[in-house]
Amino acid sequence: MSKLRFVNSLLISTAICFFLPSIAARGGHSDYIHPGDGNFSFHVTARNLFAQEETRPSLELTRGYMTNDDLEKAMKDFTKRCSKISRLYSIGKSVNGFPLWVIEISDRPGEIEAEPAFKYIGNVHGDEPVGRELLLRLANWICDNYDKDPLAQMIVENVHLHIMPSLNPDGFSIRKRNNANNVDLNRDFPDQFFSFNEDLSLRQPETMAVMTWLRDIRFTASATLHGGALVANFPWDGTEDKRKYYYACPDDETFRFLARIYSKSHRNMSLSKEFEEGITNGASWYPIYGGMQDWNYIHGGCFELTLEISDNKWPRASELPTIWDYNRKSMLNLVASLVKTGVHGRIFSLDQGKPLPGLVVVKGINYTVKAHQRYADYHRLLAPGQKYEVTASSPGYKSKTTTVWLGENAFTADFILIPETSSRGNLLRSSCDCSCKSCGQPLLAQFFTETNNGITITLFVVVVFLCFLLQRRVRFNLWKQRQSSRRSITV
Ligand SMILES: [Zn+2]
């Protein structure tokens, strides 16, 4: 090595050592791919090397925090104490075999209902333990208050809330960011721009568990809790060219709205001097690749925020009550936003009145929301104060569009779709069209001329009666009204 190259290497190493700790302090947004660096094999190696550089919190700081065993016991105790509104389940195991426990809170835990689901995940990074503590407090607070606090009651009755305090119990036990295989779980998901995480055999069990979880449960929105900053972060997290700038996803306005719900309900997040309103687009802060947030939005149909809830990654346990106090309203309001805002409804078929697992799109937003496979309920989060053209479609049916003026409250729009063809023939479809305002007069006229008057009248009465019954049946099954003040339509 020439003298010049040696000096250069020394300078670069010094620079890396200087900058890494400050990057690491940014919770979920430390990153090892530098803008303009196209070498992703370097990325995989570097994230492992990086872990050796981090300084672990002192053992003394763990005092007052739950150990993994404490947490498991606390979750089991919780679901015993609050068995009426909760259940405990595991979505898999960590590298070292620790169950990845989840508490579900709902008035019908474990059942599938025509309701949105929300998930909170804490402790993705092992050395960021505040989230796991706060999530247990959140569960207990809801259990203690759902019969007297309207917000808690609304969540229990209208949302299925899934709480996973720790995705990385192995990292927590050794007070390190990465999992037991020294992999950063928030860089281990498939990336939309780069294929460096494609190899399934390299995917971590914790990551696999989350990916499978999203196939089993249709989550409308979610948030992961990190530490090291105070900001609500939203997609996109990465850019196509790996440079740092604001990179908006199709639902940018909705994400800004959701992030603001969190930051403005927080005691001081929105007062941030670093982040305007206490929110940030991930890529404009620092691009990352293979993150959980973007994967949720793209592949899980789930609007996910990355919440940095404490400047200090591992504060003293004595500070936890204050941090909980600062975050409590935000955590509740974010979950409740699934019910209080957006456009919701169900999709039915006109011919049989059955739920149709169709698709919902909003004009001008390149994103599709799927209705539930069984109940065909859909939950389309949208920024309020705007007009939206909402279209529902399902294979074999004519799609329908309605215009929604979305105010501060949620809006219910049910869709009744007409089959493209019907085995009962054109008569039924024509005379019983959705609103019965556009009945097929020519067909009916032809029908009348081919029968005598007595049969005609009888048949006419039967057809009208059937039409009436069919509409009653469809309407009877419609989505229950959540709030008396909520506006709703059926199209
Ligand atoms: Zn983090």
Side-chain angles (χ1 to χ4, degrees):
M1 185 183 288
S2 71
K3 195 174 175 182
L4 186 62
R5 282 179 66 192
F6 175 75
V7 171
N8 280 343
S9 301
L10 193 64
L11 282 172
I12 290 167
S13 305
T14 309
I16 289 172
C17 290
F18 181 77
F19 282 115
L20 279 180
S22 66
I23 292 167
R26 302 176 75 172
H29 277 264
S30 66
D31 188 47
Y32 324 119
I33 302 173
H34 296 273
D37 179 0
N39 186 347
F40 278 87
S41 60
F42 165 77
H43 164 243
V44 176
T45 314
R47 67 181 174 189
N48 294 334
L49 287 173
F50 174 75
Q52 294 159 14
E53 300 281 345
E54 66 181 320
T55 46
R56 293 163 68 185
S58 69
L59 196 58
E60 195 258 329
L61 272 180
T62 63
R63 270 191 215 146
Y65 280 86
M66 289 180 283
T67 64
N68 286 331
D69 288 339
D70 292 340
L71 178 63
E72 184 177 52
K73 184 175 182 307
M75 293 176 79
K76 287 180 175 171
D77 288 348
F78 172 84
T79 42
K80 272 186 206 149
R81 183 170 81 85
C82 307
S83 58
K84 247 176 104 177
I85 60 154
S86 71
R87 71 171 176 128
L88 184 69
Y89 67 99
S90 161
I91 62 162
K93 287 186 174 177
S94 67
V95 172
N96 288 339
F98 205 87
L100 303 171
W101 292 114
V102 179
I103 291 171
E104 180 189 0
I105 294 179
S106 157
D107 55 353
R108 293 180 177 214
E111 290 183 36
I112 297 173
E113 294 187 276
E115 290 180 355
F118 187 100
K119 72 178 182 337
Y120 269 123
I121 299 181
N123 202 201
V124 175
H125 292 134
D127 60 348
E128 295 164 20
V130 174
R132 58 190 255 148
E133 295 281 339
L134 261 51
L135 287 175
L136 242 290
R137 286 169 193 254
L138 175 69
N140 279 295
W141 191 90
I142 292 174
C143 180
D144 293 338
N145 291 282
Y146 79 97
D147 56 351
K148 48 187 180 244
D149 181 88
L151 203 56
Q153 187 182 3
M154 173 188 279
I155 289 170
V156 170
E157 290 179 357
N158 299 290
V159 179
H160 284 251
L161 172 59
H162 299 254
I163 294 174
M164 181 199 269
S166 179
L167 179 63
N168 189 3
D170 299 347
F172 172 80
S173 64
I174 51 173
R175 306 188 306 287
K176 290 178 81 170
R177 177 185 181 91
N178 296 348
N179 75 347
N181 286 335
N182 208 9
V183 172
D184 186 335
L185 298 176
N186 203 30
R187 306 292 185 277
D188 196 41
F189 286 80
D191 190 84
Q192 63 173 321
F193 301 125
F194 306 103
S195 58
F196 60 93
N197 277 344
E198 295 292 302
D199 191 343
L200 271 179
S201 63
L202 294 177
R203 186 104 57 231
Q204 297 305 300
E206 296 90 346
T207 315
M208 288 293 289
V210 170
M211 291 171 70
T212 309
W213 194 19
L214 266 87
R215 279 202 295 271
D216 294 343
I217 297 177
R218 188 266 318 256
F219 290 105
T220 299
S222 62
T224 50
L225 304 180
H226 290 259
L230 199 59
V231 66
N233 177 100
F234 54 89
W236 297 127
D237 256 346
T239 55
E240 263 175 294
D241 57 9
K242 290 172 263 170
R243 285 186 297 148
K244 171 185 156 178
Y245 52 88
Y246 196 114
Y247 202 48
C249 74
D251 275 294
D252 190 58
E253 274 196 71
T254 304
F255 272 110
R256 293 181 68 83
F257 166 69
L258 292 172
R260 270 194 218 104
I261 287 177
Y262 199 91
S263 73
K264 296 206 167 165
S265 307
H266 189 278
R267 181 71 64 88
N268 52 15
M269 188 181 279
S270 63
L271 306 175
S272 168
K273 286 178 183 161
E274 186 181 359
F275 304 101
E276 196 179 344
E277 297 184 288
I279 65 174
T280 187
N281 169 269
S284 75
W285 181 16
Y286 205 92
I288 71 160
Y289 299 89
M292 189 192 295
Q293 173 187 270
D294 290 1
W295 185 87
N296 263 267
Y297 177 59
I298 297 166
H299 300 284
C302 176
F303 285 52
E304 175 151 300
L305 298 177
T306 305
L307 302 170
E308 305 281 350
I309 54 170
S310 122
D311 277 319
N312 188 348
K313 279 189 179 189
W314 202 310
R316 291 192 180 279
S318 58
E319 294 175 38
L320 289 173
T322 305
I323 299 175
W324 160 240
D325 189 44
Y326 282 19
N327 283 278
R328 181 173 55 82
K329 257 194 196 166
S330 300
M331 294 171 87
L332 292 164
N333 281 339
L334 187 61
V335 179
S337 70
L338 261 62
V339 181
K340 292 167 85 173
T341 64
V343 181
H344 308 258
R346 296 179 72 181
I347 306 172
F348 294 95
S349 67
L350 175 69
D351 51 342
Q352 296 173 4
K354 66 177 183 182
L356 282 178
L359 305 173
V360 174
V361 292
V362 176
K363 190 179 177 186
I365 302 177
N366 184 22
Y367 192 77
T368 303
V369 167
K370 289 180 185 168
H372 192 271
Q373 205 65 22
R374 189 193 297 180
Y375 292 115
D377 59 307
Y378 73 89
H379 309 279
R380 190 26 168 126
L381 298 178
L382 287 163
Q386 292 186 42
K387 184 177 80 171
Y388 295 100
E389 273 186 45
V390 184
T391 300
S393 64
S394 187
Y397 291 82
K398 292 175 187 170
S399 60
K400 274 197 176 169
T401 300
T402 187
T403 300
V404 170
W405 288 89
L406 187 61
E408 293 302 315
N409 295 324
F411 193 99
T412 301
D414 293 309
F415 290 90
I416 302 172
L417 301 187
I418 303 168
E420 294 277 10
T421 55
S422 166
S423 58
R424 297 184 188 186
N426 289 332
L427 177 64
L428 184 64
R429 282 177 48 201
S430 302
S431 59
C432 297
D433 203 351
C434 172
S435 63
C436 268
K437 285 175 185 167
S438 56
C439 296
Q441 294 301 338
L443 280 165
L444 280 176
Q446 187 187 358
F447 179 76
F448 285 137
T449 57
E450 287 173 8
T451 53
N452 66 45
N453 284 346
I455 297 172
T456 300
I457 291 166
T458 308
L459 280 176
F460 181 72
V461 169
V462 169
V463 167
V464 169
F465 185 63
L466 282 175
C467 180
F468 172 75
L469 281 181
L470 190 62
Q471 288 226 317
R472 261 183 76 89
R473 183 180 168 193
V474 170
R475 287 178 192 281
F476 184 74
N477 286 330
L478 291 182
W479 173 255
K480 64 183 179 184
Q481 297 296 316
R482 288 203 194 87
Q483 301 166 67
S484 56
S485 61
R486 182 190 290 185
R487 294 168 60 209
S488 66
I489 55 167
T490 302
V491 289

